[in-house]
Amino acid sequence: MSRVLVVEDSQSQREMISNLLKQSGLEVTVVGDGLEALEAVQGDRPDLIVLDIVMPRMNGYEVCRRLKADPLTQNTPIVMCSSKGEEFDRYWGIRQGADAYIAKPFQPQELVGTIKQLLRG
C-alpha cells in the first residue's frame, strides 16, 4: 500500500483530503505545517507528498525546494494543492520542483487520479 503525507494547515481540508485518499486505498499521514512535514519525512519517508502552499512557519514552496534539494527525498513526488490558482502560482510551484499542481477547489477524481498516476511512475 502506498504511503502519502498530506501537509495542510486547514483542519477541514486535511480531513477531506485524508478521507478521500484513504477511500482510494492509500495509507495517509497528516501534518499541519511545513516544519512538521520536514520532520515527518526524516522518520518515515512517504511515497508521495500532497503539499499546501500557504501555511504558518514555512510555506509549501520552501518545503518543496528543501525536499527536492535533499538526495534522500529528491525523487519523492510532490503534488502542490493550493487555493492559489493563478497561472503564475502553478508555474512557480512547478519551478520549485513540484511534480503536479492542483488548484482548490478541485474535483476529487482529479486529485486521486494525479496521485495514482505519479505513484505508478
Side-chain angles (χ1 to χ4, degrees):
M1 182 184 307
S2 296
R3 296 183 329 261
V4 177
L5 174 64
V6 175
V7 186
E8 169 66 64
D9 62 320
S10 161
Q11 177 73 29
S12 59
Q13 288 283 322
R14 214 169 32 233
E15 288 177 13
M16 188 266 295
I17 293 170
S18 176
N19 290 337
L20 181 64
L21 299 182
K22 286 176 182 173
Q23 290 168 3
S24 300
L26 300 166
E27 186 180 313
V28 180
T29 304
V30 295
V31 296
D33 68 42
L35 290 178
E36 289 179 22
L38 293 178
E39 291 170 13
V41 298
Q42 297 309 316
D44 188 22
R45 267 196 297 291
D47 298 307
L48 183 139
I49 299 167
V50 176
L51 182 60
D52 187 20
I53 294 174
V54 182
M55 297 181 292
R57 302 201 304 164
M58 183 183 295
N59 71 42
Y61 293 137
E62 178 68 17
V63 174
C64 187
R65 278 194 302 271
R66 289 188 184 200
L67 291 171
K68 291 301 185 174
D70 184 337
L72 295 175
T73 55
Q74 68 185 5
N75 294 323
T76 303
I78 295 176
V79 177
M80 284 196 165
C81 186
S82 177
S83 57
K84 294 172 71 71
E86 297 299 318
E87 197 53 45
F88 176 78
D89 301 312
R90 184 180 307 273
Y91 166 81
W92 194 244
I94 300 300
R95 290 270 310 176
Q96 303 315 300
D99 298 275
Y101 191 106
I102 295 176
K104 299 175 193 169
F106 56 83
Q107 293 296 316
Q109 61 269 27
E110 178 187 11
L111 180 64
V112 172
T114 299
I115 288 171
K116 295 217 174 212
Q117 185 177 3
L118 286 168
L119 287 171
R120 281 194 297 270

